[in-house]
Amino acid sequence: MMINIKSLSEIELMRRAGKISKNALIVAGKLMKPGTTTAEVDHAVEQYILSEGATPSFKGYGGFPASACISVNEEVIHGIPGDRVMQSGDIVSVDVGACYEGYHGDCAATFAVGDVSEDKKALIEVTRQSFYEGIKFARPGYRISDISSAIQAYAESQGYSVVRQYVGHGIGTSLHEAPEVPNFGRPGYGPRLIPGMTLAVEPMINMGVYDVRVLSDDWTVVTVDGMPSAHYENTILITDNEPEILTLSNEICEICYL
Ligand code: MG
């Protein structure tokens, strides 16, 4: 599969899509309170994306019925928003994509609802940090699996496991493009990184074992041992030097672990 290298004008559109995506994630983060349903969060995300002249990338993608993937506790990714009421102590992963003038942004984070245990908070923080450990290698001179390897090494050094069955991806005019960006593996493999590549880097980190399975709704991915999982994702641009995070907001959201 060919990797699409983006032009400057394409990158500008991806910055717009990325900002809308991250702002939508912040909208979700502010609603992370006990008593709120996941459908209410999804509705707010969708309204925000539409109000910005964009469309929700996930709605209808492969038949997915909502604008945000909302995954609670042992749910890893692809949770379907609905009547579930969020409770104090839950950790909730929200994954949001927005498409602006044909270009996608994709980002995710895990939020704490009410009073959350220290071990769940640590899982959230390590997952976020594993993204930043990975993108230290997201620059020319390295290959895709150098990012993967750094994510895995950090997450495992903290006592967690890395989901294998789902991976990050290239992104642009399609939500998922080549190449795949795994969160595990030996360094030095895969395509060389060159300026103009745009990648969604998205570690999914489990407190227990790395194995996951899909529920009978055909979407929701859960840990097989029922232990909690966290997710963190940004869309990045490979440049001549450090990567640029395209899913960036002007807003600082401290409660959101963004
Ligand atoms: Mg993604």
Side-chain angles (χ1 to χ4, degrees):
M1 283 265 280
M2 209 183 72
I3 299 175
N4 296 316
I5 302 301
K6 275 70 175 183
S7 67
L8 291 178
S9 59
E10 290 181 294
I11 289 164
E12 192 50 45
L13 291 173
M14 290 192 71
R15 286 192 187 101
R16 291 286 300 269
K19 182 183 284 191
I20 295 166
S21 302
K22 180 53 71 77
N23 283 339
L25 191 60
I26 292 173
V27 166
K30 289 178 174 171
L31 290 172
M32 290 297 151
K33 297 194 170 70
T36 306
T37 68
T38 55
E40 288 168 337
V41 175
D42 178 63
H43 180 72
V45 163
E46 179 168 312
Q47 290 305 116
Y48 173 75
I49 291 171
L50 294 173
S51 78
E52 291 292 325
T55 53
S57 302
F58 298 173
K59 194 157 197 176
Y61 187 90
F64 190 75
S67 297
C69 297
I70 304 184
S71 310
V72 183
N73 296 330
E74 78 284 1
E75 297 173 356
V76 180
I77 50 169
H78 300 170
I80 301 174
D83 294 336
R84 182 168 186 165
V85 177
M86 294 185 287
Q87 314 280 340
S88 183
D90 286 342
I91 60 170
V92 181
S93 300
V94 181
D95 195 345
V96 166
C99 183
Y100 182 79
E101 293 191 11
Y103 287 84
H104 294 273
D106 191 0
C107 56
T110 300
F111 302 97
V113 179
D115 292 324
V116 167
S117 65
E118 290 304 317
D119 59 342
K120 281 181 167 175
K121 281 184 194 164
L123 173 68
I124 290 173
E125 187 48 45
V126 167
T127 302
R128 179 180 183 280
Q129 186 59 33
S130 73
F131 165 86
Y132 286 100
E133 295 298 323
I135 68 165
K136 288 177 181 173
F137 296 88
R139 49 196 298 163
Y142 294 105
R143 292 175 182 263
I144 287 287
S145 88
D146 294 315
I147 300 172
S148 315
S149 167
I151 290 170
Q152 180 182 19
Y154 178 73
E156 292 184 351
S157 77
Q158 302 300 305
Y160 300 109
S161 65
V162 176
V163 172
R164 307 290 204 266
Q165 286 97 322
Y166 298 87
V167 298
H169 49 92
I171 179 169
T173 53
S174 296
L175 182 59
H176 296 103
E177 297 183 352
E180 290 193 341
V181 186
N183 300 301
F184 64 97
R186 288 193 296 156
Y189 292 88
R192 292 180 187 279
L193 299 171
I194 57 173
M197 283 182 181
T198 46
L199 306 170
V201 178
E202 50 175 321
M204 292 152 252
I205 307 297
N206 293 352
M207 196 180 287
V209 300
Y210 64 71
D211 307 88
V212 298
R213 65 187 176 89
V214 180
L215 296 185
S216 58
D217 64 13
D218 285 338
W219 279 107
T220 311
V221 176
V222 298
T223 58
V224 295
D225 59 7
M227 296 279 277
S229 183
H231 188 196
Y232 188 81
E233 175 182 30
N234 282 302
T235 300
I236 66 167
L237 167 71
I238 305 299
T239 76
D240 291 326
N241 299 296
E242 290 186 359
E244 177 182 335
I245 294 180
L246 297 174
T247 40
L248 207 59
S249 174
N250 294 331
E251 190 176 348
I252 305 292
C253 182
E254 288 177 6
I255 56 158
C256 300
Y257 296 98
L258 297 177

